[in-house]
Amino acid sequence: TKQKLTNRLLRPRTDAVVLFFTPEAVYWLTRTAGRPEVPLRRSKRGWMWNQFFLLEEYTGTDMQYVGKLHSDADRGDGSVRYVLTGDGAGTVFKIDEKSGDIHATKRLDREEKAYYILYAKAVNRFTNQALEGQSEFIIKIHDINDNEPKFTKDPYMARVPEMSDIGASVIQVTATDADDATYGNSARVVYSILEGQPYFSVDPETGLIKTALPGMDREVKENYQVVIQAKDMAGQMGGLSGTTTVSITLSDVNDNPPRFTKTLYDFRVPESLEPGSVVGVVRALDADIGENAEMDYRIIGSDGPGVFDIATNRSTQDGVIVLRKPLDFEKKHQFGLRLQVENVHLNPRFFSMGPFRDEASVKITVEDVDEPPVFERPSYIMEVKEDAAKNTVIGAVSASDLDDKRSPIRYTIDWRTDMDRVFNIHSGNGSVYVLRELDREENAWHNISVMATEFNNPQQISRVPVFIRVLDVNDNAPAFAANYETFVCENAKANQRIQTIGATDPDEPLAGHRFFFRVAPEAAGKANFSVHDNKDNTAWILTQRNGYNSLQKSVYHVPVVISDGDFPMQSSTNTLTVRVCSCDREGNMKLCNAEALTARAGLSTGALVAILLCVIILLMIVVLFAALRRQRKKEPLIVSKEDVRDNVVSYNDEGGGEEDTQAFDIGTLRNPEAIEESKQRRDILPETFYPPLRRPAPPPTYDNNGDVRDFISQRLQDNDGDPTAPPYDSLATYAYEGNGSVAESLSSLESVTTEGDQDYNYLSEWGPRFKKLADMYGGEDSGGES
């Protein structure tokens, strides 16, 4: 009875039709396809079975019975053996070889595998020959409701604009069920809302969440947590369910107007505040956020137009009042402004809620500051004639203190702008006067700076530029416009033009220059040349006779008087030098005498004299140099070491031997004033020196050898009695060169600092006292050169 009940439960539904074909049937169907003339013959099947069905998640203690295979060739004598292959054969499914019964060995999950394809055949147990051809059959797993719905996300994040209408879509949630959706209601999901009422609702079929209340205000509540449940079995009792959380945020819309924090703002600023500086900050608040809270400020009314401006600080949305024009406490003490603030991004949907703007008043009080004096003009221009006398007043400046204190003003000139002290100013009334004589031709304009200082507060200083123009006075006589080089041909004719001259004048008359030219009166009667005034500030030099002889006279001087046309009239006599030259017939110069050529080359007599003096000096230098060279070639006093005269041998190096010696004339030691005081040894440390006992120096004598002998004896005694002398040989100097010489020491031990030769020619320039040294060293060098 149990087996029959199980087979009935596994029977397929009546709404499904399943056709099974054996491999032989499929073969004959394909062979006979397209050949209607061949009748189809149905072969007899050797065995038969229905499609097997198996329930998932079987919980019984025995193995679950699947079905039974049976062949018509089986006579019940045990000679038939049933073989099962395919999905799960031998592991998931086992077959009884004798009876053909199939059992499932483990619990099966349809969600893991919905069906299994198996192959069965019947073979002879003894011969292992196939009694039936292999056939395929399917074992399907029947679904049970063993999986709960699962949402694709957990949690969900969603946003919806505030003040949305009822039914506005928020987000759609989705849950899936792993059970078979084609069999029963195991996978049919229904959505419901567990938390979040009455603000939101959910569609039970689609899972779409919508708003359920109108006018939800973000400024009241911004975040909502909604719990959605998904239940299978179409929501019936016994179904499985799953839940998810949906976090819903109300996004902002511009539904709130800005509002000033005050209706009246009061600011105080000093009058010294620079334009562009911040006067004050006003603030308006908006319950919205982001771009919906952006606002613009503007001035809609002011009793000082253009003095102030307002701008929006985009980071804080504050209104910043800025000064645009300078303030003056003495002119206006207080300003009143009317401000308006308005949202930048408006939403037409909320226009009915009223204007999205607000207004406020601002009072700005200007505080007095002690300011420098103010000049009546930004600059002054004054004029003075260049011949004005000293202390002549040329103008005045005026400044005043506009503060309430009304401090007196003291005027001074910034001497850095008038280094030559040409002008001065009266400290009390600001009158500018002349201190020195003026010269328009030297400086036509003077630009000085006048300072005005408060008497009560010297730190308050203001400056004003004063431009002083020096007016011209006709105080300069005209002169030749250039250095003319004029010549006249020997074959010139009378009234022939040889030069056109012009004039220049440093003065600048208002009507322009007008020059008059004429020959000087003292030369008018005997003039060889005449001056023709062209009435255009130029004149011609004309010849007065025919022919000129350069041998008789090679140079003529024509005095020309030039006068200007201004008042008082100024005139000067200018001499024009005319050279006489030989010319060809066309008047081109061919040859001038030496004086003429020199003049045309631009060399004056003074220049020639200077050149001659330079040549003479160079000759003297050459002669002197030759004489010095001859003097150096004289024979030295000591020419060899075999000189039999007494001499002092000086060792230039310690241990250098006899090859490093140099002889000196004994006459150089004969100096009665050469008695030296005790000197410090050079080969020991100063701190270990103990001065030896000294004998009183003998009176100076003029004996030939006495002073030298005494000097050497004294030095020997000093060195022998020196307790600090080292035990080795050391250098001791027994010579002296005298005292007070401008040449300092001439000792070869001190002067020879290098191994190379030195030039001692300079000794010949030190006078007769050093003549022998000059002969010794200079002569030896000369001998070496020759």
Side-chain angles (χ1 to χ4, degrees):
T1 304
K2 181 178 179 181
Q3 184 63 43
K4 291 181 180 179
L5 180 58
T6 302
N7 291 338
R8 181 172 295 178
L9 289 174
L10 295 177
R11 184 175 301 166
R13 292 181 295 180
T14 56
D15 56 352
V17 178
V18 181
L19 299 178
F20 292 91
F21 298 94
T22 63
E24 293 82 357
V26 174
Y27 173 79
W28 285 107
L29 285 174
T30 56
R31 289 290 299 272
T32 59
R35 296 187 297 173
E37 69 278 2
V38 180
L40 298 176
R41 293 185 298 174
R42 181 176 181 274
S43 63
K44 182 180 179 181
R45 298 182 60 179
W47 55 6
M48 294 179 60
W49 62 82
N50 292 330
Q51 184 177 7
F52 297 134
F53 295 91
L54 188 64
L55 190 66
E56 72 170 333
E57 302 295 343
Y58 174 71
T59 58
T61 57
D62 299 332
M63 291 189 297
Q64 188 176 3
Y65 180 73
V66 178
K68 182 178 179 63
L69 301 179
H70 181 71
S71 173
D72 293 343
D74 188 0
R75 304 301 181 185
D77 55 1
S79 61
V80 178
R81 181 169 63 88
Y82 295 97
V83 179
L84 183 67
T85 60
D87 295 340
T91 57
V92 179
F93 302 102
K94 288 186 177 181
I95 188 171
D96 192 329
E97 295 181 350
K98 296 181 179 180
S99 63
D101 292 333
I102 302 174
H103 291 82
T105 62
K106 60 176 66 175
R107 295 173 59 182
L108 302 178
D109 189 356
R110 189 201 66 83
E111 286 71 38
E112 292 182 3
K113 193 172 181 63
Y115 61 91
Y116 296 85
I117 300 176
L118 299 172
Y119 302 94
K121 63 181 178 178
V123 299
N124 188 286
R125 183 180 296 276
F126 303 105
T127 63
N128 206 27
Q129 292 182 354
L131 303 177
E132 299 286 350
Q134 180 177 282
S135 61
E136 176 187 280
F137 67 95
I138 300 175
I139 298 178
K140 297 188 64 175
I141 310 300
H142 264 195
D143 181 52
I144 64 173
N145 189 18
D146 59 344
N147 291 281
E148 72 277 2
K150 294 183 178 179
F151 285 93
T152 57
K153 294 181 181 180
D154 188 21
Y156 285 86
M157 307 297 294
R159 297 178 67 86
V160 64
E162 64 173 331
M163 310 301 291
S164 297
D165 297 331
I166 297 177
S169 298
V170 180
I171 193 175
Q172 185 175 12
V173 297
T174 302
T176 59
D177 196 317
D179 294 327
D180 189 1
T182 63
Y183 180 74
N185 293 326
S186 297
R188 186 180 176 186
V189 178
V190 175
Y191 300 95
S192 61
I193 184 168
L194 299 183
E195 296 181 11
Q197 301 94 341
Y199 305 104
F200 301 96
S201 63
V202 63
D203 189 295
E205 299 294 334
T206 62
L208 180 62
I209 301 175
K210 302 178 181 180
T211 57
L213 283 180
M216 286 189 292
D217 193 354
R218 185 199 64 83
E219 288 73 33
V220 176
K221 186 176 181 180
E222 183 176 5
N223 298 312
Y224 296 85
Q225 298 293 329
V226 178
V227 178
I228 302 298
Q229 183 190 62
K231 189 173 184 182
D232 59 11
M233 298 298 293
Q236 299 177 6
M237 294 290 293
L240 302 178
S241 64
T243 60
T244 187
T245 301
V246 182
S247 180
I248 301 176
T249 301
L250 297 182
S251 59
D252 185 59
V253 297
N254 191 10
D255 59 340
N256 293 281
R259 291 288 181 265
F260 279 106
T261 57
K262 297 180 182 179
T263 57
L264 177 63
Y265 293 88
D266 192 359
F267 301 107
R268 304 181 69 86
V269 295
E271 63 173 333
S272 60
L273 191 68
E274 295 291 335
S277 302
V278 176
V279 175
V281 177
V282 297
R283 175 170 297 178
L285 300 180
D286 193 328
D288 299 322
I289 59 175
E291 67 175 14
N292 296 318
E294 293 181 1
M295 57 191 78
D296 281 337
Y297 297 86
R298 65 174 179 269
I299 299 175
I300 60 175
S302 173
D303 56 359
V307 179
F308 302 95
D309 195 6
I310 189 169
T312 304
N313 186 339
R314 290 303 174 189
S315 61
T316 61
Q317 298 301 319
D318 294 336
V320 181
I321 301 176
V322 180
L323 180 65
R324 289 302 179 200
K325 295 182 179 180
L327 300 175
D328 192 347
F329 173 81
E330 289 71 28
K331 293 182 178 179
K332 192 171 180 62
H333 297 194
Q334 184 173 299
F335 293 88
L337 306 178
R338 188 69 181 169
L339 304 182
Q340 183 184 82
V341 62
E342 184 177 14
N343 278 134
V344 177
H345 305 283
L346 300 178
N347 193 334
R349 178 184 170 193
F350 302 103
F351 281 170
S352 60
M353 299 179 64
F356 284 78
R357 65 176 65 93
D358 195 16
E359 294 182 1
S361 299
V362 178
K363 184 177 72 173
I364 301 175
T365 302
V366 181
E367 297 178 343
D368 187 25
V369 175
D370 190 10
E371 296 174 306
V374 178
F375 283 94
E376 293 181 353
R377 303 179 190 175
S379 63
Y380 291 84
I381 298 179
M382 302 178 183
E383 294 181 347
V384 57
K385 289 186 177 183
E386 61 177 325
D387 60 350
K390 296 181 181 179
N391 299 323
T392 300
V393 177
I394 60 175
V397 299
S398 178
S400 59
D401 184 12
L402 302 180
D403 298 325
D404 292 340
K405 299 178 182 179
R406 302 293 180 182
S407 173
I409 305 301
R410 179 176 177 269
Y411 301 96
T412 56
I413 291 179
D414 187 353
W415 296 118
R416 292 174 297 180
T417 62
D418 188 16
M419 301 295 292
D420 296 332
R421 303 294 178 96
V422 181
F423 304 96
N424 202 354
I425 190 171
H426 192 280
S427 61
N429 57 23
S431 299
V432 180
Y433 56 92
V434 180
L435 282 181
R436 294 176 51 187
E437 295 180 354
L438 303 175
D439 187 357
R440 189 203 65 84
E441 288 71 33
E442 179 182 349
N443 198 348
W445 283 90
H446 295 269
N447 302 327
I448 64 174
S449 178
V450 175
M451 299 183 297
T453 307
E454 289 186 9
F455 188 81
N456 298 330
N457 187 3
Q459 295 181 353
Q460 297 296 333
I461 302 174
S462 59
R463 290 175 170 83
V464 66
V466 178
F467 307 102
I468 302 174
R469 179 183 180 184
V470 180
L471 300 179
D472 185 40
V473 174
N474 192 26
D475 57 349
N476 291 279
F480 278 149
N483 185 17
Y484 298 106
E485 296 179 358
T486 308
F487 70 92
V488 62
C489 295
E490 291 180 329
N491 56 357
K493 304 297 182 180
N495 293 324
Q496 181 179 342
R497 183 179 63 183
I498 62 172
Q499 182 70 54
T500 301
I501 60 174
T504 182
D505 191 338
D507 296 323
E508 292 183 359
L510 297 178
H513 287 294
R514 177 66 180 95
F515 299 115
F516 303 94
F517 302 87
R518 58 188 175 88
V519 177
E522 62 272 14
K526 54 181 178 179
N528 293 289
F529 302 92
S530 62
V531 177
H532 176 73
D533 193 342
N534 296 324
K535 309 300 183 182
D536 60 354
N537 292 339
T538 64
W540 293 343
I541 305 299
L542 304 177
T543 59
Q544 286 286 86
R545 59 186 174 87
N546 294 328
Y548 295 86
N549 191 345
S550 60
L551 297 178
Q552 295 179 357
K553 190 171 186 179
S554 61
V555 177
Y556 291 90
H557 298 285
V558 181
V560 180
V561 177
I562 307 176
S563 304
D564 56 21
D566 206 354
F567 181 82
M569 180 179 292
Q570 300 287 341
S571 63
S572 64
T573 300
N574 300 265
T575 301
L576 179 66
T577 302
V578 181
R579 310 293 177 178
V580 180
C581 301
S582 61
C583 304
D584 56 15
R585 294 182 178 180
E586 286 75 18
N588 299 319
M589 182 181 65
K590 294 171 57 178
L591 180 64
C592 279
N593 56 17
E595 185 178 0
L597 291 175
T598 304
R600 292 188 61 83
L603 296 178
S604 62
T605 304
L608 292 175
V609 173
I611 293 174
L612 184 60
L613 290 176
C614 291
V615 172
I616 294 174
I617 293 174
L618 288 175
L619 290 175
M620 294 176 63
I621 293 175
V622 172
V623 172
L624 180 60
F625 180 78
L628 292 176
R629 294 292 295 177
R630 286 195 301 272
Q631 185 178 5
R632 289 181 55 189
K633 293 181 179 180
K634 292 181 178 181
E635 191 71 22
L637 296 178
I638 300 177
V639 296
S640 66
K641 296 180 180 179
E642 285 76 20
D643 198 312
V644 297
R645 290 176 294 180
D646 293 340
N647 59 76
V648 177
V649 178
S650 174
Y651 286 83
N652 292 335
D653 192 8
E654 299 180 21
E658 296 295 330
E659 295 179 358
D660 293 336
T661 62
Q662 202 171 34
F664 294 88
D665 188 6
I666 196 67
T668 58
L669 301 177
R670 297 174 181 175
N671 189 344
E673 298 177 0
I675 301 178
E676 295 183 356
E677 295 296 329
S678 176
K679 291 187 177 181
Q680 194 172 2
R681 289 286 298 272
R682 298 179 181 177
D683 54 349
I684 61 174
L685 295 177
E687 55 267 24
T688 61
F689 177 74
Y690 297 91
L693 296 175
R694 299 294 303 273
R695 294 182 300 172
T701 63
Y702 295 92
D703 183 68
N704 290 338
N705 297 321
D707 56 343
V708 177
R709 183 168 50 255
D710 295 339
F711 171 78
I712 294 176
S713 299
Q714 182 66 36
R715 296 305 301 271
L716 287 173
Q717 182 180 356
D718 292 343
N719 285 278
D720 293 339
D722 186 1
T724 62
Y728 47 83
D729 292 339
S730 60
L731 176 66
T733 302
Y734 296 91
Y736 60 91
E737 292 82 21
N739 297 327
S741 173
V742 296
E744 299 178 354
S745 175
L746 297 178
S747 172
S748 61
L749 296 178
E750 296 179 355
S751 61
V752 179
T753 58
T754 62
E755 296 180 358
D757 295 332
Q758 295 189 10
D759 185 8
Y760 297 95
N761 293 331
Y762 60 88
L763 296 175
S764 60
E765 301 176 359
W766 289 357
R769 293 187 178 183
F770 301 95
K771 184 176 183 302
K772 288 188 177 183
L773 286 177
D775 293 338
M776 291 172 59
Y777 284 87
E780 184 176 356
D781 292 342
S782 301
E785 291 176 359
S786 60

